[in-house]
Amino acid sequence: MSRILIIEDELRISSFVAKGLKAAGLAPVVADTGHEGGELALTGAFELIILDLGLPDEDGFSVLKRLRDEDVTTPVIILTARGGVEDTVAGLRGGADDYMAKPFHFDELLARVRLRLRTGDNGVDTSVVRHGSLEMDFLHRRARVHGREVDLSAREFSLAEAFIRNPGQVLSREQLLSRVWGYDFDPGSNVVDVYVRYLRNKLGGERFETVRGVGYRLLPDA
């Protein structure tokens, strides 16, 4: 399980990202200051770092510089409210591997994370996940059932990914909203139920069990 270091001082965002990464089968760790995050990053215990620039004790650029000066080669994705071209260029020139501006959609962040992680240290491609006759290729954004390709929208694909990354686990509507639609989406919306219905129509209704009063669960093939 890949360990991801999140260096972010805004609790709402760090919690949202951590929950989403955990639901995707990753192991997130949060640091809310540049000093703490830098010290953790220097241990080499993480496969990827998500770094905010507006930290309370130091600028994220200085954290990035310290890591690269210490020959830490862990991929870094900058996630920040600074969306200007100058900041983007400075981040990439300073050694960041990617740059995303806030506000953001989690499914895009996860796609970028997986782009950096899709090949493990053993050289095995980890971008394809199977559960029974359902197969999802995250690199090419394709889904297949019994070998037949199924056309899914970007949102449907992200929702299906949340299920296949957690087979047999009950996922609440709140978890799915946070993971697929974002931390600022209306929690009273019924959009999860609507999209689960779409997935049932496209991938098979028997796959998705309704757990009354809680949420949904992906079942093995009948």
Side-chain angles (χ1 to χ4, degrees):
M1 182 182 293
S2 297
R3 301 188 74 205
I4 312 296
L5 177 60
I6 304 166
I7 308 177
E8 166 67 63
D9 67 312
E10 190 172 340
L11 180 60
R12 183 179 64 145
I13 294 177
S14 62
S15 176
F16 162 64
V17 172
K19 287 178 181 177
L21 292 177
K22 188 174 181 180
L26 303 172
V29 173
V30 176
D32 59 7
T33 67
H35 175 75
E36 179 188 10
E39 291 299 305
L40 286 171
L42 287 171
T43 66
F46 299 91
E47 282 70 48
L48 186 137
I49 299 166
I50 297 174
L51 174 65
D52 182 27
L53 294 182
L55 298 168
D57 56 336
E58 61 179 310
D59 192 278
F61 283 132
S62 66
V63 176
L64 178 61
K65 184 178 186 304
R66 187 160 73 251
L67 297 181
R68 297 315 189 215
D69 286 347
E70 293 289 336
D71 295 323
V72 174
T73 59
T74 307
V76 173
I77 297 176
I78 291 177
L79 183 64
T80 178
R82 303 183 200 172
V85 174
E86 290 184 1
D87 285 317
T88 303
V89 171
L92 296 174
R93 284 181 175 172
D97 297 86
D98 206 343
Y99 195 107
M100 282 190 69
K102 302 173 185 175
F104 62 97
H105 291 291
F106 181 79
D107 52 352
E108 181 184 355
L109 174 62
L110 183 61
R112 296 187 187 212
V113 167
R114 293 212 178 281
L115 181 64
R116 304 295 168 186
L117 298 177
R118 70 175 185 264
T119 303
D121 292 339
N122 58 5
V124 176
D125 187 0
T126 60
S127 64
V128 177
V129 175
R130 298 175 181 85
H131 184 66
S133 63
L134 174 62
E135 175 186 299
M136 298 190 70
D137 180 340
F138 302 110
L139 178 59
H140 300 100
R141 307 289 287 179
R142 294 172 181 163
R144 297 181 180 88
V145 176
H146 294 294
R148 177 180 59 85
E149 189 165 327
V150 180
D151 184 31
L152 297 179
S153 70
R155 201 74 76 181
E156 290 167 348
F157 191 94
S158 295
L159 182 60
E161 178 177 0
F163 283 113
I164 203 171
R165 294 286 186 188
N166 301 276
Q169 179 180 330
V170 178
L171 300 176
S172 70
R173 289 173 177 81
E174 291 76 17
Q175 286 176 306
L176 294 169
L177 268 177
S178 175
R179 159 69 179 80
V180 179
W181 281 270
Y183 62 90
D184 56 352
F185 203 85
D186 178 9
S189 170
N190 71 338
V191 69
V192 170
D193 307 283
V194 171
Y195 272 78
V196 168
R197 186 165 68 249
Y198 293 162
L199 291 186
R200 282 173 166 158
N201 290 335
K202 292 186 176 184
L203 303 179
E206 73 283 353
R207 296 184 190 281
F208 302 96
E209 178 187 30
T210 300
V211 181
R212 195 171 301 278
V214 182
Y216 297 95
R217 171 167 48 203
L218 179 65
L219 297 177
D221 288 1

